[in-house]
């Protein structure tokens, strides 16, 4: 079947030039010979503006996918993926994909005007190269799959209107007004602006939005006064007047492309020389390419979002996303290592899509394997989300956060920091039921100098860092021994790896703000892999606040004792899960939601019978500073004695957990902070 293809015109195009219609790339000049005498210019049928010979087509519709914009503009989706942006070759148009993706409504208004068509009246002669080795691959690389056989002259206008509702609570109301006043016509999504009183409703609705109007046109000259801004109203007016503008100022808008196997001269030359050249047909992969473009731009938007998180992590918190089946697919934490790894993964997915385009360009008959590509929308759900806080973007450290900042320095002990943050004497630390011992205190001479130095630093944050650094040698910091991370009495309950970690001098300094409790399950009977929430907490870019939610899930084991399968802790900055997520929703789920200043300050844990394999955790009770009590499992099923934990050593509440887990929680103990 003989058919014509179109590509956006740019000044580098010449008649007879070879062309790659998939990537919209020019190839060999003079691939076919088109003499001036063979050209025919034909005016469009009458009936256009002012009864001038024109063919005018209007299109106005709401769109959800960026590929719909590309398709309406005849831009190559494959070329957009390869270049990483949506733009017309030789033109200034560039679509803001991030703005499009973040908007609640996107509309495209297009006007295409054809004044005349220039084509050949005879079949152009194909001009082969001498001393050239012809294969399907070499031919396509040099000549392309088609050639420029003519031009359309007239005008082309495209406007993209992106509307983002600023008040989320009014999103539905605004969308209803905007779509209503644009006279939506069913599933097609086409619209025209309403008149009369409806315009005032539309203006009021748009005043509650961030509306971005992007306009590009060729032909028509100056279609809007310089002193007017582009708005939805001015865009619609310009679109209505565009055909009449084109009558006085037309220009080439599209190049007509013809495939080589529709050229009689080429077919005869190939047969005469007995060449098995296959001209690629890209029609079958166009829909795949459009889908890949949508995915590629989603990944690009995700990459932009994660870069924004890395630039200002204070303004974000961990999302509440949870995968119903795979525990390994979870919300992205606010640690620099995690963010860098996830950014690398996003770039890798974009590379996969670009490679798929290369494969289709080289062999459009072979559909690329897309099964190993991740879903960008699912990945987007895992991204940190903005904190709805007017101070979230503040760059300065507010007074309530100063203790957290100072706590990052290894020379400050817990009691000293508590004293500096609150002049009142600290409350007496409660005593844990497990093995206990008192950690040694700092030497008096060092404490005195530390108090003076830190008070001075907090009182005058603007003091030059160099001056403070000069004072450090006089502080005799080495006189302050590192505090134990746990009471020495619990070492007998830990295995060798846990003892080594908790006794490591560097860890005693790095994790000085925490206290680690002993495990209720015997060290010889526990399996699974180690986990330690304190490690992730210290890796976070910003100081991690208190948990916002705890979650526990039991696994049912018939007549045997049920044990804890999953433990999860959510903070503003982190999301940590241990164990395995059940495939059935029938298993007992306990969720503990914590208010802003509410802390877990008492915990009871009981293990299952030793006869169970594994023994696991049969009972957990959580008590908070607000009087909330939540229980997991059965106290009666647990083996006595039930272990009671309370904060000690200057700590005030639960910060996280440490222990071992596999399919179930093999052992667990609180980390106080």
């Amino acid at each position: 079947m003989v058919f014509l293809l179109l590509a956006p015109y740019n000044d580098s195009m010449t008649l007879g030039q070879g062309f790659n219609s998939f990537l919209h790339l020019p190839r060999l000049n003079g691939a076919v010979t088109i003499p001036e005498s063979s050209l025919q210019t034909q005016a469009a049928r009458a009936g256009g503006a002012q009864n001038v010979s024109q063919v005018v087509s209007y299109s106005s519709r709401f769109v959800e996918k960026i590929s719909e914009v590309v398709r309406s503009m005849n831009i190559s989706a494959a070329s957009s993926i390869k270049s990483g942006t949506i733009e017309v070759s030789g033109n200034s148009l560039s679509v803001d994909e991030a703005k499009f993706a973040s908007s609640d409504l996107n509309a495209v208004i297009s006007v295409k005007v054809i004044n005349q068509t220039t084509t050949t009246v005879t079949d152009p002669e194909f001009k082969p190269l001498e001393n050239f080795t012809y294969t399907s691959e070499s031919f396509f690389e040099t000549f392309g799959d088609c050639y420029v056989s003519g031009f359309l002259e007239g005008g082309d206008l495209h406007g993209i209107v992106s509307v983002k509702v600023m008040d989320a609570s009014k999103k539905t109301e605004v969308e209803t007004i905007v779509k209503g006043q644009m006279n939506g016509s069913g599933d097609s999504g086409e619209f025209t602006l309403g008149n009369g009183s409806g315009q005032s409703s539309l203006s009021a609705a748009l005043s509650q939005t961030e509306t971005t109007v992007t306009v590009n046109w060729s032909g028509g000259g100056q279609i809007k006064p310089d002193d007017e801004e582009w708005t939805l109203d001015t865009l619609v007016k310009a679109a209505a007047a565009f055909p009449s503008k084109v009558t006085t100022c037309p220009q080439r808008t599209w190049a007509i492309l013809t495939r080589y196997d529709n050229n009689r001269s080429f077919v005869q030359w190939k047969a005469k020389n007995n060449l098995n050249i296959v001209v690629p047909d890209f029609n079958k992969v166009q829909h795949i390419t459009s889908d890949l473009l949508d995915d590629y731009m989603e990944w690009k938007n995700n990459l932009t979002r994660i870069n924004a998180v890395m630039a200002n992590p204070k303004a974000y918190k961990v999302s509440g996303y949870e995968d119903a089946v795979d525990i390994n697919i979870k919300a992205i934490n606010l640690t620099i290592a995690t963010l860098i790894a996830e950014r690398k993964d996003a770039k890798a997915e974009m590379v996969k899509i670009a490679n798929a385009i290369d494969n289709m360009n080289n062999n459009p008959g072979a559909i690329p394997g897309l099964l190993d590509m991740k879903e960008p929308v699912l990945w987007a759900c895992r991204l940190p989300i903005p904190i709805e806080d007017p101070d979230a973007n503040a760059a300065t450290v507010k007074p309530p956060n100063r203790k957290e900042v100072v706590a990052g320095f290894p020379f400050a002990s817990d009691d000293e920091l508590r004293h500096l943050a609150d002049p009142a004497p600290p409350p007496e630390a409660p005593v844990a039921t497990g093995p206990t011992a008192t950690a040694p205190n700092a030497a008096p001479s060092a404490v005195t100098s530390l108090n003076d130095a830190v008070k001075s630093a907090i009182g005058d944050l603007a003091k030059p860092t160099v001056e403070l650094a000069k004072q450090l040698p006089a502080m005799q910091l080495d006189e302050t021994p590192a505090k134990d991370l746990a009471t020495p009495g619990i070492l007998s309950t830990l295995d060798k790896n846990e003892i080594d970690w908790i006794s490591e001098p560097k860890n005693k300094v790095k994790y000085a703000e925490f206290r680690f409790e002993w495990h209720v399950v015997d060290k010889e009977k526990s399996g699974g892999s180690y986990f330690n929430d304190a490690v992730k907490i210290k890796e976070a870019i910003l100081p991690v606040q208190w948990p916002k939610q705890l979650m526990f899930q039991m696994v049912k084991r018939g007549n045997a004792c049920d044990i804890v399968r999953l433990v999860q802790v959510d903070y503003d900055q982190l999301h940590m899960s241990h164990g395995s997520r059940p495939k059935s929703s029938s298993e007992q789920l306990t969720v503990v939601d914590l208010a802003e200043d509410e802390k877990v300050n008492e915990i009871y844990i009981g293990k299952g019978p030793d006869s169970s394999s594994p023994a696991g955790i049969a009972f957990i009770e959580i008590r908070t500073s607000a009087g909330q009590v939540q229980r997991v499992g059965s106290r009666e099923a647990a083996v006595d004695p039930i272990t009671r934990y309370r904060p000690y050593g200057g700590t005030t509440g639960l910060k996280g957990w440490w222990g071992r887990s596999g399919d179930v929680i093999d052992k667990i103990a609180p980390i106080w902070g």
Side-chain angles (χ1 to χ4, degrees):
M1 176 180 178
V2 177
F3 59 91
L4 297 179
L5 303 172
L6 295 179
Y9 172 80
N10 67 72
D11 291 337
S12 69
M13 291 179 168
T14 59
L15 286 171
Q17 181 181 47
F19 205 79
N20 178 330
S21 65
F22 184 62
L23 296 177
H24 280 191
L25 292 177
R27 288 295 180 248
L28 184 69
N29 281 328
V32 298
T33 300
I34 303 179
E36 289 288 335
S37 58
S38 69
L39 295 178
Q40 172 182 280
T41 298
Q42 182 177 359
R45 61 182 175 81
Q50 303 174 0
N51 204 31
V52 175
S53 295
Q54 285 182 326
V55 174
V56 181
S57 60
Y58 293 91
S59 175
S60 51
R61 55 189 294 111
F62 291 103
V63 297
E64 295 183 356
K65 297 181 177 181
I66 199 76
S67 60
E68 297 180 72
V69 177
V70 170
R71 192 179 298 112
S72 71
M73 301 174 69
N74 261 9
I75 301 174
S76 164
S79 175
S80 298
I81 292 173
K82 292 294 291 181
S83 64
T85 189
I86 298 172
E87 60 184 4
V88 178
S89 176
N91 206 306
S92 61
L93 175 66
S94 181
V95 178
D96 189 339
E97 307 94 3
K99 182 73 69 177
F100 183 96
S102 63
S103 297
D104 299 304
L105 288 172
N106 289 286
V108 175
I109 298 175
S110 300
V111 184
K112 298 181 180 180
V113 182
I114 301 175
N115 282 8
Q116 62 184 27
T117 304
T118 300
T119 57
T120 60
V121 293
T122 59
D123 200 37
E125 180 184 358
F126 174 70
K127 299 294 291 183
L129 294 175
E130 297 181 1
N131 301 319
F132 186 82
T133 302
Y134 286 96
T135 64
S136 296
E137 293 75 18
S138 66
F139 179 84
F140 175 62
E141 180 64 28
T142 305
F143 290 85
D145 60 306
C146 55
Y147 59 91
V148 178
S149 58
F151 299 105
L152 298 180
E153 186 176 288
D156 206 50
L157 179 146
H158 298 281
I160 303 172
V161 182
S162 298
V163 179
K164 182 174 179 61
V165 183
M166 304 309 295
D167 186 347
S169 64
K170 297 182 179 180
K171 178 179 176 180
T172 302
E173 175 189 349
V174 172
E175 287 184 1
T176 301
I177 293 175
V178 172
K179 285 189 173 182
Q181 291 305 315
M182 287 183 174
N183 299 333
S185 58
D187 296 334
S188 68
E190 294 191 2
F191 66 81
T192 56
L193 280 183
N195 297 314
S197 60
Q199 281 285 31
S200 61
S201 299
L202 178 61
S203 299
L206 291 179
S207 68
Q208 305 177 58
T209 70
E210 176 186 296
T211 303
T212 304
V213 180
T214 304
V215 184
N216 167 265
W217 73 95
S218 57
Q222 187 66 28
I223 65 173
K224 178 187 69 66
D226 289 336
D227 57 352
E228 283 188 13
E229 293 184 357
W230 279 114
T231 64
L232 178 59
D233 188 45
T234 57
L235 172 59
V236 172
K237 290 179 180 178
F242 187 65
S244 62
K245 296 282 188 179
V246 172
T247 61
T248 57
C249 187
Q251 70 178 64
R252 287 180 175 177
T253 54
W254 305 95
I256 301 173
L257 308 177
T258 301
R259 287 172 53 83
Y260 287 106
D261 48 13
N262 291 332
N263 180 286
R264 178 183 294 272
S265 170
F266 171 80
V267 174
Q268 290 177 341
W269 167 81
K270 188 175 71 166
K272 179 180 178 181
N273 292 277
N274 195 26
L275 295 172
N276 185 26
I277 297 176
V278 177
V279 179
D281 184 357
F282 295 102
N283 284 320
K284 295 180 180 179
V285 297
Q286 290 298 342
H287 68 285
I288 299 176
T289 308
S290 294
D291 291 341
L292 288 177
L293 175 64
D294 290 323
D295 285 350
Y296 186 91
M297 292 306 169
E298 283 280 0
W299 282 115
K300 184 177 179 180
N301 185 47
N302 288 342
L303 197 59
T304 300
R305 288 175 58 188
I306 205 164
N307 283 335
V309 175
M310 297 178 72
N312 187 15
K314 185 180 179 63
Y316 293 84
K317 64 181 179 180
V318 171
S319 74
Y321 176 79
E322 295 179 6
D323 190 89
V325 178
D326 191 346
I327 191 174
N328 295 316
I329 301 178
K330 53 190 177 182
I332 296 172
N333 290 329
L334 281 172
T335 66
I336 189 64
T338 300
L339 293 174
I340 290 175
E342 295 292 345
R343 183 175 65 177
K344 183 178 180 181
D345 286 347
K347 290 181 178 180
E349 292 302 314
M350 296 172 71
V351 170
K352 286 181 186 177
I353 295 175
N355 290 339
I357 294 300
D358 287 335
N359 292 337
M360 283 188 284
N361 180 60
N362 296 330
N363 188 5
I367 304 301
L370 307 177
L371 296 180
D372 64 334
M373 293 185 182
K374 298 178 182 178
E375 175 55 54
V377 176
L378 174 62
W379 197 88
C381 294
R382 302 170 54 233
L383 286 171
I385 58 177
I387 298 174
E388 300 300 330
D389 179 359
D391 295 326
N393 294 315
T396 58
V397 179
K398 296 178 288 186
N401 302 119
R402 290 178 182 173
K403 175 186 171 182
E404 297 165 2
V405 175
V406 179
F409 293 91
F411 55 77
S413 68
D414 292 330
D415 292 339
E416 290 147 15
L417 289 175
R418 290 172 62 86
H419 173 72
L420 291 174
D422 184 359
E428 182 179 350
V431 179
T433 303
T436 58
T438 303
N441 293 321
S445 61
V447 171
T448 301
S449 60
L450 277 170
N451 285 348
D452 294 338
V454 178
K455 282 180 180 177
S456 175
I458 292 178
D460 185 12
L461 293 178
K463 193 170 184 178
T465 304
V466 175
E467 291 185 22
L468 291 176
K470 291 178 180 178
Q471 300 177 21
L472 292 179
M475 293 183 185
Q476 300 178 350
L477 301 181
D478 57 335
E479 294 184 18
T480 305
K483 282 195 171 184
D484 289 332
L485 300 180
T487 57
I490 78 167
L491 297 183
S492 61
T493 69
L494 306 178
D495 62 29
K496 183 180 184 304
N497 289 327
E498 292 163 341
I499 294 173
D500 290 344
W501 189 90
I502 211 164
S503 303
E504 170 65 40
K506 291 182 180 179
N507 289 342
K508 287 185 177 183
V509 173
K510 184 174 183 179
Y511 302 97
E513 64 199 88
F514 302 111
R515 295 296 176 266
F516 295 78
E517 290 281 15
W518 65 301
H519 302 102
V520 299
V521 176
D522 295 338
K523 59 184 179 182
E524 291 84 4
K525 296 184 178 180
S526 59
S529 302
Y530 292 101
F531 65 87
N532 187 333
D533 289 350
V535 175
K536 287 291 184 183
I537 289 173
K538 293 300 290 185
E539 287 178 354
I541 299 174
L542 295 172
V544 174
Q545 307 301 320
W546 298 97
K548 299 297 182 184
Q549 186 185 80
L550 307 178
M551 190 174 81
F552 307 90
Q553 195 140 22
M554 305 294 289
V555 57
K556 302 187 72 64
R557 304 197 304 176
N559 296 327
C561 171
D562 294 346
I563 59 176
V564 178
R565 173 201 289 273
L566 174 72
V567 171
Q568 181 173 302
V569 190
D570 290 330
Y571 314 78
D572 278 342
Q573 303 88 346
L574 295 173
H575 170 99
M576 290 184 282
S577 298
H578 312 295
S580 62
R581 199 174 300 279
K583 296 182 179 180
S584 170
S585 59
S586 63
E587 297 181 358
Q588 178 190 347
L589 174 67
T590 302
V591 177
V592 183
D593 290 312
L594 301 169
E596 187 68 28
D597 298 322
E598 188 177 11
K599 297 180 178 64
V600 175
N601 58 6
E602 192 170 0
I603 299 174
Y604 295 83
I605 299 180
K607 68 176 181 178
D610 291 337
S611 58
S612 300
S613 180
I617 305 300
F619 174 73
I620 299 178
E621 182 177 300
I622 300 293
R623 297 181 177 232
T624 74
S625 57
Q628 183 180 177
V629 179
Q630 297 276 8
R631 297 181 179 89
V632 183
S634 169
R635 181 186 290 269
E636 291 73 22
V639 176
D640 286 333
I642 302 293
T643 303
R644 177 194 186 201
Y645 301 97
R646 297 190 69 191
Y648 69 97
T651 58
T652 59
L654 178 73
K655 202 73 175 185
W657 305 97
W658 72 314
R660 298 183 71 159
S661 67
D663 291 334
V664 298
I665 301 299
D666 294 276
K667 66 177 183 179
I668 192 171
I671 302 173
W672 304 113

